[in-house]
Amino acid sequence: MDSNDAGWDRLVDAVDLKFGLSDHGRYEEALPDRSDLTRRVQFVTFKRGGQVYKMERVTGPAIVERKSHYHKSAGQATRFENIYDPDEISHKTNVYVQTGSDWEPISLEDLALD
């Protein structure tokens, strides 16, 4: 277990102790822009103040470069391409609040677990 794993575990434990978990799980999925590469998503959901929240930890290949592709007649980038290193792993934590049937992203600071 690396320090990133321990950090996620501490965060989930803190949420569980303070609010209790409604659901938890994990799944794998193809990257949206590279179907030959996959990422693993761990998630927990919980209720706080009458609202439902979801935290995700996304683990997958690291983005090592982001290329901009331009159209000849346009001055702005028309498309971006992510270049991945499948041997370098990155971790990202996402937090969402449920609004109706949608999940709206919020920052971890907005959650204010203190």
Side-chain angles (χ1 to χ4, degrees):
M1 179 183 301
D2 68 19
S3 63
N4 287 319
D5 293 335
W8 170 254
D9 289 343
R10 282 193 305 274
L11 182 58
V12 170
D13 287 346
V15 168
D16 189 18
L17 286 172
K18 194 158 190 169
F19 308 111
L21 299 180
S22 305
D23 193 12
H24 69 285
R26 68 180 70 202
Y27 59 91
E28 285 194 15
E29 65 183 4
L31 296 179
D33 56 343
R34 285 281 306 268
S35 61
D36 59 318
L37 298 174
T38 60
R39 62 184 175 190
R40 185 177 71 236
V41 180
Q42 297 170 273
F43 70 90
V44 296
T45 60
F46 59 96
K47 292 181 181 175
R48 173 181 169 226
Q51 291 191 289
V52 179
Y53 292 86
K54 176 170 66 171
M55 287 191 323
E56 294 180 333
R57 180 182 189 229
V58 181
T59 304
I63 296 174
V64 293
E65 185 180 349
R66 187 165 276 151
K67 289 186 178 181
S68 301
H69 296 275
Y70 295 91
H71 189 272
K72 291 179 185 176
S73 63
Q76 299 177 7
T78 56
R79 183 173 65 88
F80 294 97
E81 177 186 5
N82 294 324
I83 307 299
Y84 296 93
D85 180 347
D87 298 322
E88 186 177 336
I89 302 299
S90 71
H91 305 280
K92 181 177 181 184
T93 301
N94 301 313
V95 182
Y96 305 93
V97 62
Q98 191 172 34
T99 56
S101 61
D102 295 326
W103 292 103
E104 297 292 327
I106 63 171
S107 73
L108 190 56
E109 291 79 23
D110 290 342
L111 191 56
L113 292 175
D114 321 31

